[in-house]
Amino acid sequence: MSELVATTPGLFPLPDWAKDQLSDLKGHQKGDLISGDESDAIVAAYDEAREEVIGDQLDAGLDRVVEGQLRWDDNLAHPLTVHENVETGGIVRYYDNNNFYRDPRVTGDLTFSGDVAAELEKASEAIDGEAALQAVLPGPYSLADLASDEHYGDEAEFLDAVGDFLAEEVEAFPAHETLFLNEPSLVENAPGEDTDALASEVIDRVADATDADVVVNTYWGALDEKVYAHLMDADVDAIGFDFVAGDREQTLYNINEYGTKSDIALGLVDGQNTLVESPETVRERVDWVQEQVASQDFETTYVTSNTELFYLPVNKAQEKLAVLAEAASLNEVKA
């Protein structure tokens, strides 16, 4: 029997009160804020908001609790936008999600930052042993894809450097049960023949920096067959699949043709639609996927939203947390 684990890919919507307060404190609208070197008042606001979203997850009963990534004004690009050797360029559009962010332009060596580790330390203190901590990072390929390289001068060298940077960041993390590496660029801007093997290698390098279970979470579509085959070479515990927006036939083909890891993450709740699914519907989707890959029994099945919850109103995000937790607690998944 597969163990069902309710969790999310992180990046929660900022509570309305915090959005208003932080806009006043920083003197800009939320979309124009640059994280890093915050005043004591700004730090206090983020600390309070972090405790609130952790409380929401604990109240919902999630099996893995994330920090929430509320400071990540530029979403997946955040670990670079706060780095001392990165300049934030003009506003750009990431993927096709109608949200706009700054372009992180790497102008020097990607040395150790410790920014995400500091956030996770605070999250661990707020959780206080009530649940297992899940760390969240952009995968190295997606982070490199969202950035502009003005220092390394070579695509492969830059991707390699981003992988080294993230691995060093992970080594500083406090104890965590799971690490989600969000890799939508593997779908949205798939690596070519010159980088597809390297993309898998750098993911493997980041995963090797932690003793936690590592999930490479892909979304906004299905992986190309060749990209998936290379990703299977990475020594990770699970691959995440988007069963909401993705090409389900292609995803199931990949899994049945090449196999998958001993664990699996299923994006079954829509992270961008305010319609709230019922726990029974989500659980039926879990069972349906299991039936389609009946040749493989999974040790752990992560039940999650297909994308980050950042795009939703706070109340809808909270409702979806409860749905995920309840869906995972219903009758045991079919063998």
Side-chain angles (χ1 to χ4, degrees), residues 220-244:
W220 284 326
L223 292 164
D224 291 340
E225 182 178 353
K226 188 174 182 181
V227 173
Y228 182 75
H230 278 292
L231 183 56
M232 279 296 293
D233 292 335
D235 187 15
V236 298
D237 298 277
I239 297 173
F241 302 96
D242 184 347
F243 279 94
V244 175

Side-chain angles (χ1 to χ4, degrees), residues 35-38 71-72 77-86 109-119 137 143 161-162 164-173:
S35 299
D37 298 326
E38 295 95 342
R71 286 179 59 243
W72 293 27
H78 170 85
L80 289 185
T81 59
V82 296
H83 194 282
E84 63 181 2
N85 290 333
V86 176
D109 288 347
L110 290 176
T111 52
F112 175 73
S113 165
D115 182 87
V116 178
E119 293 177 328
L137 275 178
L143 187 56
V162 171
D164 286 342
F165 164 67
L166 288 178
E168 191 172 5
E169 298 300 299
V170 169
E171 288 175 355
F173 285 1

Side-chain angles (χ1 to χ4, degrees), residues 63-334:
D63 299 299
R64 301 286 186 273
V65 173
V66 300
E67 185 267 338
Q69 294 74 47
L70 301 177
R71 286 179 59 243
W72 293 27
D73 297 330
D74 290 295
N75 280 10
L76 295 181
H78 170 85
L80 289 185
T81 59
V82 296
H83 194 282
E84 63 181 2
N85 290 333
V86 176
E87 297 178 358
T88 49
I91 300 298
V92 296
R93 184 179 183 180
Y94 296 167
Y95 310 117
D96 188 24
N97 56 23
N98 292 322
N99 282 270
F100 295 84
Y101 313 93
R102 285 176 303 273
D103 172 27
R105 296 184 292 189
V106 177
T107 58
D109 288 347
L110 290 176
T111 52
F112 175 73
S113 165
D115 182 87
V116 178
E119 293 177 328
L120 289 173
E121 290 283 1
K122 291 183 177 182
S124 182
E125 293 174 4
I127 294 170
D128 195 25
E130 293 186 51
L133 175 66
Q134 175 175 295
V136 171
L137 275 178
Y141 179 74
S142 293
L143 187 56
D145 178 49
L146 295 177
S148 296
D149 171 30
E150 299 182 0
H151 174 67
Y152 292 93
D154 176 81
E155 181 181 7
E157 185 179 350
F158 181 53
L159 178 56
D160 211 43
V162 171
D164 286 342
F165 164 67
L166 288 178
E168 191 172 5
E169 298 300 299
V170 169
E171 288 175 355
F173 285 1
H176 51 289
E177 189 76 15
T178 315
L179 170 62
F180 257 54
L181 295 176
N182 287 321
E183 280 282 20
S185 285
L186 287 177
V187 173
E188 287 286 318
N189 188 23
E193 293 185 2
D194 295 336
T195 54
D196 49 10
L198 179 59
S200 175
E201 291 174 14
V202 294
I203 289 171
D204 188 272
R205 192 181 314 155
V206 177
D208 192 50
T210 178
D211 292 329
D213 293 331
V214 177
V215 179
V216 178
N217 190 44
T218 67
Y219 48 102
W220 284 326
L223 292 164
D224 291 340
E225 182 178 353
K226 188 174 182 181
V227 173
Y228 182 75
H230 278 292
L231 183 56
M232 279 296 293
D233 292 335
D235 187 15
V236 298
D237 298 277
I239 297 173
F241 302 96
D242 184 347
F243 279 94
V244 175
D247 180 342
R248 297 177 187 176
E249 290 186 6
Q250 179 64 42
T251 293
L252 291 172
Y253 170 81
N254 289 339
I255 295 172
N256 288 319
E257 179 70 16
Y258 298 99
T260 193
K261 303 296 183 178
S262 59
D263 301 337
I264 192 170
L266 304 178
L268 300 172
V269 166
D270 196 330
Q272 298 185 93
N273 193 319
T274 56
L275 177 66
V276 179
E277 302 85 345
S278 72
E280 292 76 16
T281 295
V282 175
R283 186 47 183 272
E284 288 173 0
R285 293 172 180 175
V286 174
D287 293 344
W288 179 84
V289 173
Q290 185 70 30
E291 290 169 356
Q292 304 306 306
V293 290
S295 61
Q296 183 166 347
D297 292 330
F298 300 106
E299 296 177 12
T300 301
T301 298
Y302 296 92
V303 183
T304 182
S305 55
N306 69 320
T307 70
E308 314 97 313
L309 298 178
F310 170 85
Y311 313 98
L312 297 174
V314 171
N315 65 324
K316 295 299 182 181
Q318 292 168 334
E319 291 177 38
K320 297 213 176 198
L321 296 179
V323 166
L324 288 166
E326 187 173 347
S329 67
L330 293 174
N331 294 334
E332 288 185 339
V333 69
K334 297 177 182 178

